[in-house]
Amino acid sequence: MGHLGFSYIGLIFLLMLTIPNLLWIRHQPQGYDFRSENKVLLFFERIGQVLVTCTALIFSDFNLRPWSLWTLWLIAAVILMLMYEVWWFRYFRSQKTLRDFYSSFCGVPVAGATLPVMAFFLLGIYGKVAWLLIAVVVLGIGHIGIHLQHRKEING
């Protein structure tokens, strides 16, 4: 279930998630409108954001441990977070349209939502912390669901 204690790996993941999103505030896509978002999905997204943030920080199980096969889960999670950073780099260099924002990356649909959700899920597997897995599922339902809704709207 997890051991209480600060997770510096959780903090690094959260910084990798938060910094591009803060930059995005000044570089939102042309025509972006959040007012039509499904309220149920938005509820799941907000609850999931709080739960993932808290859970990623308060369990020391996510910190580095001696090498084992479980380390592969952490490596995979790091790769997904690095892909997320590259996706953001590509978005910031684009024309910043809605299509750019809801784009796929390396075959991952709505990569801006899917990559970090997958990364945090793998982090939960690495740490063997069911609470993070549950929190990520809640976040994923809302966050990926909202992004899919928006992508569907722009694709008509």
Side-chain angles (χ1 to χ4, degrees):
M1 296 306 279
H3 299 89
L4 290 177
F6 177 71
S7 172
Y8 58 86
I9 296 293
L11 177 62
I12 291 168
F13 270 53
L14 289 169
L15 288 172
M16 292 175 76
L17 181 73
T18 304
I19 292 170
N21 279 281
L22 291 174
L23 295 172
W24 173 80
I25 291 170
R26 298 185 136 222
H27 301 280
Q28 292 182 11
Q30 305 153 10
Y32 176 74
D33 182 13
F34 62 88
R35 291 181 296 239
S36 65
E37 291 175 352
N38 180 298
K39 300 304 179 215
V40 173
L41 293 177
L42 187 60
F43 175 77
F44 273 89
E45 180 185 48
R46 295 295 183 252
I47 295 296
Q49 287 170 335
V50 170
L51 293 175
V52 167
T53 299
C54 293
T55 308
L57 291 174
I58 67 169
F59 289 104
S60 60
D61 305 81
F62 307 125
N63 293 334
L64 294 176
R65 300 187 296 259
W67 172 264
S68 74
L69 283 177
W70 283 100
T71 309
L72 294 174
W73 292 110
L74 178 60
I75 292 169
V78 169
I79 289 169
L80 290 174
M81 285 306 289
L82 291 173
M83 289 173 62
Y84 176 68
E85 300 303 317
V86 172
W87 176 86
W88 271 115
F89 182 76
R90 188 180 76 171
Y91 170 77
F92 288 131
R93 291 186 48 108
S94 74
Q95 294 182 9
K96 299 174 193 71
T97 66
L98 290 171
R99 287 194 192 281
D100 296 325
F101 189 60
Y102 298 110
S103 66
S104 297
F105 182 73
C106 293
V108 178
V110 289
T114 306
L115 287 170
V117 167
M118 290 174 19
F120 274 91
F121 192 82
L122 294 183
L123 184 64
I125 292 173
Y126 165 74
K128 302 176 192 168
V129 178
W131 302 116
L132 183 58
L133 298 175
I134 293 165
V136 170
V137 168
V138 171
L139 173 64
I141 290 168
H143 194 52
I144 295 170
I146 287 170
H147 278 243
L148 288 172
Q149 174 191 11
H150 283 290
R151 189 182 72 179
K152 183 179 177 184
E153 290 169 1
I154 64 170
N155 289 337

